[in-house]
Amino acid sequence: MDAVNGMWAPPVMGWPNYLTSYQSQRARAQQVRLDRSNTLIRIAPGGTTAWACYQWEFTAVVDGNPTSAFGHTTLVFEKRNDVWLIVHNHTSLVQASSSAAPATQPPAATPTKP
């Protein structure tokens, strides 16, 4: 397993390194909540590949500070031995904040010019 590091550092290589990084981050957070919305799931012709797209809202207390973030995720699945496995995860942060109170709504969409 390899993962892009969210801290502008080299990729995290191998499960043991990923687990250590995850546990370190998780120890800093309390009252963690992740809500998913607007989920779209599609199975490709042939039935062995699929993808799911969704928006998410994360709230937690990190290092004692209320924190929130909003973003999008796309997961690609592959069916192996009758089990669906995530073979790719792309997650994008739209907005993050740390304040006295977590945000309660995602940011308003900004119209774009055609």
Side-chain angles (χ1 to χ4, degrees):
M1 172 195 189
D2 302 327
V4 174
N5 191 316
M7 301 301 293
W8 195 256
V12 179
M13 307 292 282
W15 178 253
N17 293 328
Y18 178 83
L19 180 60
T20 299
S21 177
Y22 172 82
Q23 289 172 331
S24 174
Q25 290 177 357
R26 187 63 180 95
R28 297 173 49 212
Q30 293 78 41
Q31 302 173 18
V32 176
R33 182 176 174 130
L34 181 69
D35 293 314
R36 187 187 75 227
S37 61
N38 298 322
T39 302
L40 172 68
I41 300 171
R42 294 286 188 252
I43 298 176
T48 60
T49 305
W51 61 94
C53 303
Y54 58 88
Q55 294 172 296
W56 50 264
E57 177 183 357
F58 170 84
T59 56
V61 176
V62 180
D63 296 332
N65 298 311
T67 302
S68 66
F70 301 92
H72 307 273
T73 294
T74 299
L75 301 174
V76 178
F77 299 87
E78 189 174 287
K79 196 172 190 179
R80 298 180 185 169
N81 299 321
D82 290 327
V83 176
W84 287 101
L85 299 174
I86 298 171
V87 294
H88 184 77
N89 174 341
H90 178 86
T91 298
S92 298
L93 177 67
V94 173
Q95 178 181 344
S97 65
S98 180
S99 63
T104 57
Q105 294 184 32
T110 304
T112 58
K113 294 181 181 179

